[in-house]
Amino acid sequence: MAKNEKPTEALDFEKALAELEGIVKQLEAGNLALDKSLALFEHGVRLARACKEKLAEAELKVSQLVKDKQGLFTEEPFREGGD
Amino acid sequence: METAAARKVLTVSQVNQLVAGMLGEYFSDVWIEGEVSNFKAYASGHLYFALKDEGSQIQAVCFRHSAQRLKFRLEDGLAVIGHGRLEVYQPTGKYQIILDTIEPKGLGALQKAFEQLKRKLEKEGLFAAERKRPLPALPRTVGIVTSPSGAAIHDMLRTLRLHKAPVQVVLYPAQVQGEGAAEQIAEGVAALCARSDVDVIIVGRGGGSIEDLWSFNEEGVARAIAAARVPVISGVGHETDFTIADFVADVRAATPTAAAQLVARTWEEFETRLRDLAGQLLEAAEQVLFEKQQAIDELTRHRAFELMAGHLAEQGHRVERLVSAAEGSARAALAGASSRLADLNLRLNRQNPVARVLRQKLALQALADRLDKPALALLSRHGVRLGQAGARLDALSPLASLGRGYSVCLKPDGSVVSRVSQVEAGEGVSLRVSDGAIDCRVERTAKHNSGGN
């Protein structure tokens, strides 16, 4: 579970949260070796931090669908008027 | 009796023509009220029915171009008020009223239409609670169908920005009132559903009169929402306005802003959950360290541990001695070999002495390793753990101590109370515990005699 640890573009928030929940449960059960516990703890901290960072850098992106001559939709940036 | 020549004989057609002319002239602008009966809608789009009251009835027609403008469906038994003109249908000589406007009597036409469509769709089960889908836990892409220039889109984007929702918005710009608006809204819902990235759709517009909001009461919009691949939030008008779109949507928000808030809230809940979990993670780790530390304390208190530590040290020394002895003998062997090497130089090609010496050295090393490994492993297991546990505990212990029920007593100036002499009866102090502070007043102080310093 600690393998695909790339908190870049495709961070799956739901999965990260579920994993974090699992880690907390494992730690709370309290029957792990210390080094295993510490490894889990560190992994958990990394997950939480990755989520936080991803959330902090998120910016609202707005586009609009525009119909072209063939009746197909293309996506264009949307700029709000009269702001 | 007049003579045949003097008689003015009219043909049937002429009579009907005259009557038609007179009726048409005198009854060109008539308001009529009555109950619809024997209603028939023809494929041509024309509507035929009778209007009647207790004592009489009249044939009525509503031609297609007028019928299309009706906001509600005619049905038998409906009391209506209509406007039109009388006309004689000359092939039969019967007269009828051609209606250009029909309104339900009592309720306004729109209100009536609303009630009718609501009843119809309700019967189909389109409003049923079990059809309602929950919003996605974490919507990434939000489709919005509304006017690109209205207050609604502005409000929604502002709300999403305000709450820092990490979402992408795809707007389907649609007219939200007037002719063709309903078709555009329905098309927008379908177009957004056709994109694989859209997780949730908001349809909405700002408040207005019932006519302004009318598109959201049209059947086409209701059907498009019902058929949507993803959950749809309606956010139409003000708090009190309910539209058909609201009934059929998975979630009804009172306003466009409220609709955007629903989306933003999913992310806020996520952040709260994340914060809670991070806290739990730290607590759990502290607990683990605390327990391990206790176990280690327990061990070190044991005399056996001291003995073992002594034993380990002794073994370590032995290993060192062995290693250096091994190295020494390897060096000696090497030295001996190299002195002989000069002599044997060319002759002993096959028994390459360097290789033999190396082999010897490796064998010795292996022996040393064998002795070395278990001892080192034991040492490192305990040593490293102790070191790590100690470091963690140092870093976390104040918190951990508070969590275990200890508290710190602070004076108002923030200094820590560690001696009786620091406080006086009546003085206020604050107990800092794991999740906050308890303000207290000193009743009296008592110094323990045994309390050394």
Side-chain angles (χ1 to χ4, degrees):
Chain A
M1 87 186 148
K3 262 157 228 155
N4 301 323
E5 206 173 293
K6 277 197 183 151
T8 48
E9 265 318 297
L11 177 74
D12 187 332
F13 287 106
E14 273 136 321
K15 240 167 89 186
L17 202 71
E19 203 177 325
L20 204 50
E21 270 166 355
I23 288 172
V24 169
K25 247 185 224 129
Q26 270 180 282
L27 284 179
E28 278 172 350
N31 46 14
L32 294 170
L34 185 61
D35 46 0
K36 172 82 175 147
S37 296
L38 290 174
L40 276 174
F41 173 70
E42 273 159 23
H43 182 53
V45 169
R46 270 202 300 278
L47 274 173
R49 191 174 296 145
C51 285
K52 257 191 200 142
E53 279 168 6
K54 196 77 191 145
L55 283 175
E57 74 190 30
E59 230 176 76
L60 188 68
K61 287 186 216 101
V62 187
S63 63
Q64 62 178 336
L65 293 185
V66 178
K67 221 183 211 174
D68 65 16
K69 286 180 199 97
Q70 281 90 49
L72 297 171
F73 292 111
T74 53
E75 198 173 334
E76 287 179 3
F78 174 71
R79 253 174 272 288
E80 271 175 272
D83 226 7
Chain B
M1 268 280 169
E2 292 170 64
T3 62
R7 287 182 200 158
K8 193 176 178 193
V9 178
L10 300 174
T11 64
V12 171
S13 293
Q14 281 171 329
V15 169
N16 278 350
Q17 243 166 37
L18 282 170
V19 172
M22 286 169 69
L23 277 182
E25 193 175 329
Y26 288 104
F27 297 93
S28 63
D29 181 10
V30 182
W31 285 97
I32 186 171
E33 110 175 44
E35 191 187 306
V36 175
S37 89
N38 213 10
F39 173 78
K40 280 198 185 74
Y42 280 76
S44 58
H46 307 321
L47 310 176
Y48 294 89
F49 52 99
L51 279 178
K52 63 175 191 182
D53 55 23
E54 294 82 31
S56 191
Q57 65 171 296
I58 182 173
Q59 259 327 106
V61 185
C62 183
F63 289 122
R64 190 177 55 182
H65 59 276
S66 303
Q68 276 171 342
R69 288 204 308 271
L70 295 183
K71 293 290 189 195
F72 67 107
R73 277 175 302 115
L74 282 178
E75 56 195 27
D76 284 345
L78 209 60
V80 297
I81 296 176
H83 174 269
R85 59 188 169 85
L86 288 191
E87 185 194 76
V88 174
Y89 183 61
Q90 294 189 26
T92 58
K94 286 179 182 160
Y95 74 93
Q96 55 191 3
I97 185 161
I98 313 292
L99 294 169
D100 51 41
T101 307
I102 307 171
E103 289 172 5
K105 203 182 156 196
L107 293 170
L110 292 179
Q111 194 57 41
K112 185 73 200 172
F114 177 87
E115 299 295 339
Q116 284 175 336
L117 182 60
K118 189 178 160 210
R119 213 177 315 129
K120 175 178 165 187
L121 297 181
E122 197 160 29
K123 223 182 200 170
E124 282 183 38
L126 255 58
F127 305 159
E130 54 272 21
R131 282 193 87 254
K132 309 279 180 201
R133 293 165 291 187
L135 295 185
L138 292 175
R140 301 301 302 268
T141 304
V142 183
I144 297 183
V145 182
T146 193
S147 160
S149 56
I153 184 67
H154 181 77
D155 289 348
M156 287 190 270
L157 294 181
R158 188 174 41 91
T159 303
L160 290 174
R161 279 201 191 96
L162 186 72
H163 293 272
K164 291 188 145 292
V167 297
Q168 198 197 337
V169 168
V170 182
L171 170 68
Y172 184 93
Q175 222 179 295
V176 288
Q177 72 186 75
E179 205 68 31
E183 288 75 12
Q184 287 187 25
I185 295 165
E187 186 183 58
V189 172
L192 289 172
C193 282
R195 291 173 59 103
S196 59
D197 59 345
V198 171
D199 302 313
V200 63
I201 292 174
I202 301 176
V203 290
R205 57 152 288 149
S209 67
I210 185 171
E211 286 86 2
D212 290 342
L213 305 184
W214 192 253
S215 325
F216 294 89
N217 288 323
E218 300 258 20
E219 188 166 352
V221 171
R223 299 258 174 228
I225 292 174
R229 175 182 62 81
V230 296
V232 176
I233 308 175
S234 67
V236 183
H238 301 307
E239 310 271 339
T240 51
D241 302 323
F242 262 87
T243 62
I244 297 290
D246 288 324
F247 290 117
V248 72
D250 294 283
V251 180
R252 185 242 175 191
T255 62
T257 301
Q261 275 166 348
L262 286 175
V263 170
R265 191 180 305 157
T266 62
W267 284 99
E268 282 176 343
E269 278 165 8
F270 174 77
E271 285 199 64
T272 305
R273 186 89 193 91
L274 187 64
R275 240 194 329 273
D276 289 352
L277 274 172
Q280 282 175 35
L281 182 67
L282 190 62
E283 268 171 38
E286 280 171 5
Q287 187 59 31
V288 167
L289 289 173
F290 173 65
E291 278 162 15
K292 298 287 179 195
Q293 180 61 36
Q294 272 194 329
I296 290 167
D297 286 350
E298 196 74 24
L299 255 173
T300 47
R301 264 199 297 281
H302 249 270
R303 189 163 151 62
F305 185 82
E306 280 168 39
L307 285 176
M308 188 167 72
H311 180 65
L312 282 175
E314 197 184 297
Q315 262 197 359
H317 289 142
R318 229 179 93 212
V319 169
E320 259 166 42
R321 279 200 302 277
L322 271 166
V323 169
S324 63
E327 278 182 351
S329 73
R331 242 195 315 272
L334 192 63
S338 53
S339 69
R340 280 207 307 275
L341 198 65
D343 308 335
L344 302 174
N345 197 0
L346 292 167
R347 286 193 296 152
L348 291 178
N349 255 347
R350 246 171 281 159
Q351 287 184 4
N352 188 336
V354 178
R356 209 172 71 219
V357 169
L358 274 177
R359 262 205 308 283
Q360 267 178 6
K361 191 175 162 136
L362 281 174
L364 278 166
Q365 198 95 57
L367 178 66
D369 280 354
R370 259 212 327 273
L371 284 165
D372 215 359
K373 264 187 189 135
L376 272 181
L378 257 177
L379 269 175
S380 72
R381 257 212 318 278
H382 288 285
V384 170
R385 279 191 192 183
L386 253 173
Q388 283 179 339
R392 296 277 155 178
L393 277 173
D394 282 347
L396 301 167
S397 61
L399 255 179
S401 300
L402 292 184
R404 295 201 302 273
Y406 293 100
S407 57
V408 181
C409 181
L410 300 173
K411 292 181 70 151
D413 64 359
S415 62
V416 174
V417 178
S418 54
R419 281 152 210 249
V420 166
S421 61
Q422 283 177 266
V423 295
E424 284 173 15
E427 201 176 338
V429 292
S430 169
L431 290 183
R432 190 61 50 84
V433 293
S434 66
D435 60 350
I438 304 168
D439 289 328
C440 312
R441 195 158 296 283
V442 176
E443 292 253 2
R444 62 179 174 281
T445 61
K447 194 169 173 142
H448 278 304
N449 295 331
S450 57
N453 44 358

